[in-house]
Amino acid sequence: MNDSGHRLRLPRGLDGETFLRDYWQKQPLLMPAALPTQHFTLTPEELAGLACETQVESRLILEGEEGRWEVRHGPFDDADFAALPESHWTLLVQDVDKYIPDTVSLIETFDVVPDWRIDDVMISYATDQGGVGPHSDAYDVFLIQASGRRRWRISNRHYTESDLLPGIEQRILARFDTAQEWLLEPGDVLYLPPGVAHWGTAEGPCMTYSLGFRAPSQQELASEWFQHLVSLSDERRLDDPDDLRADSRAQLTTGVFLHAAQLLNELPDTHSDDFRRWLGRYLTEPKAQFEIPPRDPAWQHADLADCLQQGQTLRRHPFARIAWTVMDDAQVVLFVQGEDLTLPSFLQPMVRQIAERRLLEAEEIAPVIAATPKAGSLLLRLLNDGILEVGEE
Ligand code: SIN
Ligand code: CO
């Protein structure tokens, strides 16, 4: 069971395995009454309050007459909200999970999908008929109806850039062929794989949570990997091969190609340990605004022991991105906020717990530390790095 004590209720006949096999990244799935509504505690006023903070990314999208759309960027103030019309607008706030701890327990309910892919929880508040218009996203999304009702339409068509409305930064399709539509009520969830065009329209005021996932493009991966290779390369230069010919001085001989290739082949390839470590670091890299400051003053082992003795809970910092893997030599690597930590294989159960859970109870950790002091050192390090914090939800 996850920390929130709830799991996403998949439709009858589906379990986590079948969801991953038949739907995840493949086809849409409507999940009626998939979540208890007690997860949705945030009020529209609180969401508007977040949108007034400078560090929070927010947008207002208004639909005017004859399909004229307007996008405004936060931070907003009370006067901005007071001047809005009665209907046809929506407020969207990104990364709410980083600021509102309650949202973290909602993420925990989605415990069948790869945790390391999760990007953020975006929350929208829409007035009647409000929405962001028809569009498709490049990543998976769970659209979670939190309050009020929203009509979702999806299309079977594959739209391209040329189908977008010109002259507006928001990606809105100029036309949309509806294949299916549903009216979502609080607690209903609609899963959409990348690229499925969708169109949500509020029927009365409503709030929708979007659990969004990361999907780096080939271009992004290539650019980051090659940058890493450049950082590993040295000052050696191309030297001349043995097959130079005095009678053909401008010819690039086979040896020249071989020597150039050799210089490059000395850099790690995508089958190397280096690549696996790089990928883990890259996938857990936080956005710049979500760096975590270290604990100050740093804790000693005795502080950790005291805290566990008092029955305190260790909680993952809401900014922390974590993943883990096992290398060919059986060493375990924990990836945290774009860094890799190599650990002995006997720590695998603890590493897994840290990577898969957001709350760790004292009573489950204390015996592990008693049996394996290295587990205590790992926790202490993560506490001092700010990745784990002490305290209740
Ligand atoms: C919304 O909450 O209105 C937007 C969600 C989406 O279409 O991705
Ligand atoms: Co979307």
Side-chain angles (χ1 to χ4, degrees), residues 59 61 90-92 122-126 130-137 139 141-145 150 152 170 192 198-202 206-210:
R59 275 168 302 161
I61 299 185
T90 184
L91 168 70
L92 302 115
M122 177 185 81
I123 301 187
S124 68
Y125 167 75
V132 302
H135 66 282
S136 56
D137 299 307
Y139 45 79
V141 65
F142 288 96
L143 298 160
I144 304 158
Q145 196 55 26
R150 182 187 284 277
W152 282 105
Q170 187 73 17
L192 296 178
H198 50 286
W199 184 5
T201 315
C206 83
M207 285 178 89
T208 303
Y209 291 26
S210 302

Side-chain angles (χ1 to χ4, degrees), residues 219-282:
Q219 204 170 55
E220 284 161 348
L221 274 181
S223 148
E224 293 291 325
W225 171 241
F226 294 140
Q227 234 170 290
H228 172 65
L229 291 183
V230 169
S231 77
L232 298 179
S233 58
D234 60 29
E235 298 296 314
R236 273 175 302 155
R237 285 173 185 273
L238 183 63
D239 58 0
D240 281 337
D242 295 338
D243 64 349
L244 293 186
R245 291 174 49 179
D247 63 345
S248 182
R249 291 168 47 231
Q251 185 185 355
L252 295 178
T253 60
T254 306
V256 176
F257 292 106
L258 286 176
H259 274 220
Q262 198 177 344
L263 268 188
L264 295 178
N265 290 343
E266 281 168 21
L267 290 165
D269 65 17
T270 52
H271 301 288
S272 61
D273 275 9
D274 191 80
F275 175 76
R276 294 172 71 168
R277 283 174 186 276
W278 167 81
L279 187 64
R281 292 196 299 267
Y282 172 67

Side-chain angles (χ1 to χ4, degrees), residues 165-191:
L165 281 178
I168 170 161
E169 58 175 297
Q170 187 73 17
R171 296 168 56 82
I172 300 176
L173 293 165
R175 50 181 291 245
F176 186 86
D177 299 325
T178 303
Q180 270 181 289
E181 66 176 77
W182 305 277
L183 187 62
L184 266 66
E185 308 260 354
D188 295 346
V189 174
L190 175 61
Y191 164 70

Side-chain angles (χ1 to χ4, degrees), residues 76-139:
F76 300 105
D77 59 27
D78 291 348
D80 294 320
F81 291 119
L84 288 168
E86 283 281 296
S87 67
H88 289 83
W89 60 263
T90 184
L91 168 70
L92 302 115
V93 182
Q94 225 59 59
D95 286 301
V96 178
D97 52 306
K98 316 295 188 300
Y99 305 108
I100 309 282
D102 264 6
T103 333
V104 170
S105 70
L106 174 72
I107 296 183
E108 290 284 279
T109 63
F110 289 81
D111 61 357
V112 298
V113 291
D115 187 87
W116 55 266
R117 261 194 185 276
I118 295 175
D119 190 9
D120 76 331
V121 175
M122 177 185 81
I123 301 187
S124 68
Y125 167 75
T127 48
D128 187 37
Q129 301 307 307
V132 302
H135 66 282
S136 56
D137 299 307
Y139 45 79

